[in-house]
Amino acid sequence: MGILESIRAAAYGALGAAASFLLMLGIYEGVPLVRDIPYIGSIPIIGQLATGRVATESAKAATAARAGYVELSEKTALQAQLAEERRSRLRASQLYDEAQKRATAAAQANRIANEKLQKDINKDTGADGAVWGADDLDWLSNH
């Protein structure tokens, strides 16, 4: 029986080594059929055992990378929006200045025209019978 006992012990040792190897491989790589179950990775301990350490760590790295890209894209979008608002504000300021200049020039032209009209009225002292009334002056000043 000594030989049979030693063969049995060697077989148990080999099975133990193989089982240990498969257990470590399962923890590292995950259980093939179980890791394909949807959302199994979201269950805290079972998910890590089912998906394996490699998949868990790569998922964490992918999440961190996506978070960085999201922050970068949000920052870029906000910078572009700020630049556009600055350009719009500058353009509005330029348009306001131009409008102010045109309004000042129009007011000055109106004042000059009214002064010229007043001079023409003052010069008109002829005896043709025409009389300047308040309505005439108002119409000529405003049109």
Side-chain angles (χ1 to χ4, degrees):
M1 290 267 187
I3 277 203
L4 190 59
E5 291 286 325
S6 62
I7 291 174
R8 191 177 295 159
Y12 286 149
L15 283 176
S20 296
F21 175 75
L22 289 176
L23 180 65
M24 289 188 325
L25 185 64
I27 290 173
Y28 190 71
E29 291 291 330
V31 181
L33 296 176
V34 178
R35 69 175 167 217
D36 295 336
I37 297 173
Y39 304 111
I40 191 75
S42 61
I43 302 172
I45 295 173
I46 296 172
Q48 284 183 337
L49 290 175
T51 58
R53 183 153 176 83
V54 173
T56 303
E57 292 301 318
S58 68
K60 286 180 186 177
T63 301
R66 278 191 298 273
Y69 284 127
V70 168
E71 290 173 5
L72 178 63
S73 66
E74 286 176 352
K75 178 184 172 188
T76 304
L78 288 174
Q79 286 176 341
Q81 182 181 3
L82 180 62
E84 180 61 30
E85 288 176 3
R86 285 180 179 160
R87 281 191 298 270
S88 296
R89 186 172 30 106
L90 179 62
R91 182 67 180 145
S93 176
Q94 290 171 346
L95 290 173
Y96 176 77
D97 291 343
E98 290 173 9
Q100 287 291 83
K101 289 176 185 176
R102 286 193 307 270
T104 302
Q108 185 177 4
N110 191 20
R111 185 180 49 80
I112 291 171
N114 285 339
E115 288 174 1
K116 182 177 180 282
L117 176 63
Q118 191 62 42
K119 287 179 187 176
D120 289 344
I121 291 171
N122 291 339
K123 284 187 211 174
D124 188 19
T125 56
D128 57 2
V131 179
W132 290 93
D135 291 336
D136 296 327
L137 295 176
D138 184 44
W139 189 88
L140 287 172
S141 296
N142 294 324
H143 290 91

